[in-house]
Amino acid sequence: MLRTALRNLLAHRARLAMTVLAVCLGVAFVSGTLVFADSTAAAHRAAVSKTFAGIDVTVTEKAPGPATDGRPRVGVLDDTLVTELARVPGVAAARPSVDGSAVLNAADGSPLRADRAWSHLAGAYIPGRDGKDSRYPLAEGSAPANGGEIAVDRGTAAAGRLRIGDTVTLATDGPVMTKRLVGIVTTDDTRVTAGGTLALFDKTTAQQLFSAPGHYTGVDLTAAPGTTASELADRVTAMLPADRAEATTGQAQAAQQAVLVDTLTRGYEKVPMVFAGVSLFIGSFLIVNTFTMLVKRRTRETALLRAVGASRRQVSRSVLLEALAVGLVASVAGFLLGLGIAAVLPHVLGGGDSALPTGPLVIGPRPVAAALGAGVGVTVLAAWLPSRLAARTSPMEAMRTAEQPPVAQRFRLRGAVGLALLVLGAGWLVSLSGAQDASEENLRDAMAGCGLFAAALIMLAPLLAAPVIRLTGRLTGRLGVTGRLARENALRDPRRTAATAATLLISTGLVTGLAVIGHSTGQALDRRAAAGLGADYVVSTRSTTTGIDPGAVRRLADTPGVRAAHPITDSTLFTGSGVRRISGVDPAAVRDTMKLDFVSGSAEELAPGRIAISTSIAREHGVTTGGLLNVRLGRAGQFTPYRVVGVYKDNPVARDTLGSRAEVAANSFLPGSVQRVLLRTDGPAAAPETRLRTAVGNNPLLTVQDRDQLVREAAGTMGDLLHVMYGMLGIGVVISALGIVNTLAMSVAERTREIGALRALGMDRAGIRRMIRVEALTVTGFGTLLGLAGGLFAAWAVGSLANGAIDQYTLALPWGTLLLVCLLSLATGVLAAAVPARRAAALSPLEAAAHA
């Protein structure tokens, strides 16, 4: 039986190649993503190790607290302590550092890498005895020597198009500054190489900005030969004031930084793994279909094996051995292709401002095991049902010459199971349609309901094939004999037609559902952002430690074309159930710049001790206008009952709650600060963005956005969903094309005599090609229609959960996207039929008549 399995495998290698390719794609995504993850992690570790090379212990200050007299404590890391640390036995060198954060403007005036607040690094260039700072080797220019000069790393210079001699605008946590760029350095700091920026000042300037004159933020120690890092850390800890400073080994710091960067870049793995799962899932239908057709085609051969003594188990094992061999070949090919994907992914995912550390590919046991498990496991599992079908072959089948129709009893059983799943899945989704609550539990239920609904469609597809294809056949029937023959060929084996269309059914359904939900959510976010904002511009700060300078607020108000400038203080509000956001406003700001839809009450009575709350807060705490809500505002010491003066519909501009600006500012963690300024103007032309940015000194910590930009930002998360959606559509199209090619190729081989008879009766080669193409179009049309219907129903049912999270949500169909999906799916069928159609047309009547 082993030899028989291998012989069958070699005899049908061309047809199985399509199956191998489908599995290969899924394995490639799985193994490539895992190799990429392991390689990136190794590159991070190598870069971090290089960053901390020569650093055995680092001394840093502990979080400062108030002194006994209430004044802030002065840091202890000064020149005197550096000298004492250098004299500790086992210390070979002590190198102080001053670290902080700074955001730079690019050459065009726009904030540089503004979305990466975690990695706007700044520090001091502190030369050693040789006049150089070994941490930051100079690539161009010179080191900053005074308060008017600055150096940046090579990546920052390239991203901002900065050159030696340029004037750079930047900000730390204070007012905007301008410095002259005098040097470009290199660095191995993974926070910078992973997409951050680096600005270097001279030591005196850095101390003024980030610590205090004559003080440092850290001291790096190098151990002398014969002294370990842990021994040195113990000696240094013993001489440090226990409540003021601490010593950490370089190895521990490297591990912490590696975890930080890994956490920040871990999301790069998710999208490829989604594609891998989708491709393997869709590919499994192609595997089932291929092996089912092969088993049916070899019915007489299998019956003869049974007649000469082969048992059912041996026949089943023979098919599974073929699947095992196919899975092994696909796994090996997919793993090799995955190495190419792993090599390309850093350039795709780390392009532009998100550079990833580079290094050699790391091939560990995890991607190898995943490749074999995914390729072999999926293939063998998908072939299990066809192997059972082969095992049920009776020896009497060898006596039959005609293909036997499917057993009606099995069709009835399949229909009953599919109908039960349909009722269960559809009922589950319909029950959720009234939930209007996007809780995690409801989302899990929605996913389970969608899974049951999709399984029901797959089970019922063979039963739905006949009525749907007969309905669509009215269109193809107008093509004449070829159209009618194509329709009858598609109806000849409904299970085969359904299995071929299943790949398109799944991919089209997924894409349709995601497209409808994404489009509806995007429009809802657009409407909510537009409806909730009456201001023409919003100026906000990215800094978490300082607010907008009061002088900048005055300059904005005095800008020509600005009618009103309303400052807002944002802070935190602690309730019994968690932390919420509160906006400190004046009633005039609400009237002039916020389009709030009050369910009850108003903002006119806002005052100390009084707040207005959103409908979600009101529902959560069961509070209405006139009631009391026990909360703690900002850094206030205790919970206090606040009178609710109004309840408004959720609004992103107003945040969760509204309070008196004077009270919120007084209790903010940054007392008196302003986080946003809402502007009313005489029109965009009267006060353009450039004029407003000039009013705030082109401060890179501040953003200036008009209404359209705010609306786009509110719906910006839909971009990732669209990328995933189109990626899944592409995978589904590729695998569907492979399945159609495979099915039609086998169908042509099975109908060799039939095609020869048609040729003998006068049908020309063009008619044969047209018949095969229309048959492919019929199958793809069936799968597309079923997928569209299923996707639309699921989107309608699941969309109600989004309606619970977004008040403005209504179902909106993306007609352009849906039309594109339909055209792409139908085009897939036509293109996939090209090779089988050409092969069928090449058959001569004599060859077909001689075919046994």
Side-chain angles (χ1 to χ4, degrees), residues 12 94 133 158 161 185 284 288 372 401 480 761 823:
H12 301 96
D133 191 332
R161 300 183 182 275
V185 303
S284 64
V288 171
L372 290 174
T401 58
L761 291 173
L823 293 178

Side-chain angles (χ1 to χ4, degrees), residues 70-221:
R71 293 178 298 177
R73 297 185 301 182
V74 178
V76 296
L77 299 185
D78 53 13
D79 290 319
T80 301
L81 182 61
V82 173
T83 302
E84 294 178 0
L85 289 172
R87 295 173 180 171
V88 173
V91 173
R95 184 176 59 195
S97 61
V98 183
D99 298 316
S101 174
V103 184
L104 291 75
N105 276 345
D108 61 1
S110 61
L112 185 57
R113 295 176 177 173
D115 59 334
R116 298 183 176 274
W118 51 271
S119 59
H120 292 301
L121 306 182
Y125 187 94
I126 304 177
R129 295 180 180 178
D130 58 355
K132 300 179 181 179
D133 191 332
S134 59
R135 295 170 298 181
Y136 309 112
L138 277 168
E140 298 179 44
S142 59
N146 55 63
E149 297 179 345
I150 192 177
V152 300
D153 72 287
R154 181 172 287 170
T156 300
R161 300 183 182 275
L162 302 174
R163 298 180 180 179
I164 299 294
D166 287 352
T167 298
V168 181
T169 303
L170 69 150
T172 54
D173 283 336
V176 66
M177 300 177 288
T178 57
K179 308 286 183 182
R180 188 169 67 91
L181 181 62
V182 297
I184 295 177
V185 303
T186 60
T187 180
D188 296 315
D189 194 318
T190 51
R191 293 169 297 178
V192 179
T193 58
T197 61
L198 174 66
L200 296 175
F201 305 87
D202 67 285
K203 183 178 73 172
T204 302
T205 303
Q207 288 177 335
Q208 292 173 346
L209 292 172
F210 307 126
S211 57
H215 288 76
Y216 306 96
T217 59
V219 181
D220 298 328
L221 306 178

Side-chain angles (χ1 to χ4, degrees), residues 16 19-20 22-23 279-295 316 319-324 326-327 373-390 499 503:
L16 290 172
T19 303
V20 170
V23 179
S279 59
L280 285 173
F281 179 67
I282 296 178
S284 64
F285 292 96
L286 174 57
I287 300 169
V288 171
N289 202 23
T290 300
F291 276 95
T292 300
M293 294 178 69
L294 287 175
V295 166
S316 178
V319 176
L320 292 178
L321 281 174
E322 292 182 45
L324 178 63
V326 169
V376 176
V378 169
T379 308
V380 172
L381 284 176
W384 181 73
L385 286 176
S387 72
R388 295 286 300 271
L389 177 64
T503 53

Side-chain angles (χ1 to χ4, degrees), residues 396-416:
M396 296 301 296
E397 296 290 336
M399 306 293 293
R400 298 192 177 105
T401 58
E403 182 181 350
Q404 297 301 305
V407 180
Q409 182 179 359
R410 295 175 189 165
F411 256 47
R412 287 195 295 269
L413 178 61
R414 184 187 188 113

Side-chain angles (χ1 to χ4, degrees), residues 547-548 550 569 635 661-662 664-675:
I548 300 177
T569 298
R635 60 189 181 93
R661 193 170 80 85
V664 173
N667 290 280
S668 171
F669 290 101
L670 300 173
S673 64
V674 172
Q675 279 67 46

Side-chain angles (χ1 to χ4, degrees), residues 448-819:
C450 288
L452 290 174
F453 186 69
L457 290 181
I458 294 170
M459 292 288 290
L460 293 174
L463 301 177
L464 296 173
V468 173
I469 291 177
R470 285 195 177 96
L471 180 64
T472 58
R474 295 181 179 179
L475 295 176
T476 58
R478 295 182 180 180
L479 298 176
V481 176
T482 55
R484 291 192 294 272
L485 287 174
R487 180 188 61 193
E488 295 305 318
N489 287 333
L491 291 172
R492 178 177 299 182
D493 190 341
R495 286 191 299 185
R496 177 188 299 178
T497 298
T500 305
T503 53
L504 272 179
L505 188 158
I506 296 299
S507 59
T508 304
L510 281 172
V511 171
T512 299
L514 288 175
V516 172
I517 293 176
H519 182 71
S520 303
T521 303
Q523 287 199 347
L525 291 173
D526 288 353
R527 287 191 297 269
R528 191 174 76 167
L533 181 64
D536 298 304
Y537 287 94
V538 176
V539 179
S540 56
T541 179
R542 298 187 184 93
S543 175
T544 58
T545 57
T546 61
I548 300 177
D549 181 21
V553 177
R554 289 192 296 270
R555 290 193 298 273
L556 287 170
D558 295 337
T559 301
V562 174
R563 285 193 291 140
H566 298 285
I568 295 179
T569 298
D570 294 320
S571 187
T572 53
L573 188 75
F574 299 90
T575 66
S577 59
V579 180
R580 299 293 182 175
R581 297 175 298 174
I582 184 170
S583 296
V585 298
D586 297 321
V590 177
R591 290 193 304 269
D592 201 26
T593 60
M594 293 183 182
K595 295 180 179 179
L596 297 185
D597 185 2
F598 274 88
V599 177
S600 60
S602 69
E604 297 297 326
E605 299 181 22
L606 284 177
R610 299 185 175 188
I611 59 175
I613 61 177
S614 63
T615 52
S616 61
I617 300 295
R619 283 196 305 265
E620 180 180 346
H621 295 277
V623 181
T624 59
T625 299
L628 295 176
L629 183 62
N630 202 36
V631 298
R632 179 166 67 87
L633 177 59
R635 60 189 181 93
Q638 59 186 3
F639 280 81
T640 305
Y642 275 71
R643 178 73 60 185
V644 177
V645 298
V647 177
Y648 55 89
K649 290 185 178 180
D650 288 17
N651 189 298
V653 180
R655 309 291 169 86
D656 299 313
T657 57
L658 292 175
S660 165
R661 193 170 80 85
E663 184 180 25
V664 173
N667 290 280
S668 171
F669 290 101
L670 300 173
S673 64
V674 172
Q675 279 67 46
R676 290 180 291 162
V677 181
L678 306 185
L679 304 175
R680 289 299 303 271
T681 68
D682 295 326
E689 181 180 345
T690 53
R691 189 180 297 173
L692 298 177
R693 289 208 61 84
T694 302
V696 297
N698 286 322
N699 192 329
L701 290 175
L702 302 182
T703 60
V704 179
Q705 296 172 295
D706 59 18
R707 289 171 57 86
D708 293 338
Q709 290 171 330
L710 287 166
V711 169
R712 287 195 298 269
E713 182 181 61
T717 53
M718 290 298 103
D720 295 335
L721 177 62
L722 291 176
H723 289 309
V724 173
M725 179 189 72
Y726 289 124
M728 288 191 295
L729 176 60
I731 292 174
V733 164
V734 170
I735 298 180
S736 298
L738 295 176
I740 294 169
V741 170
N742 217 18
T743 301
L744 290 179
M746 291 187 178
S747 179
V748 167
E750 291 176 356
R751 303 196 320 250
T752 300
R753 297 184 66 182
E754 176 186 325
I755 293 172
L758 291 174
R759 293 280 286 117
L761 291 173
M763 183 176 286
D764 57 9
R765 295 178 185 274
I768 296 294
R769 286 194 296 268
R770 191 181 306 114
M771 179 183 69
I772 300 299
R773 287 170 181 163
V774 173
E775 181 181 349
L777 192 63
T778 301
V779 174
T780 53
F782 168 66
T784 303
L785 185 62
L786 210 57
L788 281 172
L792 289 173
F793 175 77
W796 168 79
V798 177
S800 63
L801 302 183
N803 191 25
I806 307 173
D807 291 336
Q808 303 282 347
Y809 183 92
T810 56
L811 191 68
L813 300 182
W815 295 106
T817 301
L818 297 180
L819 179 61

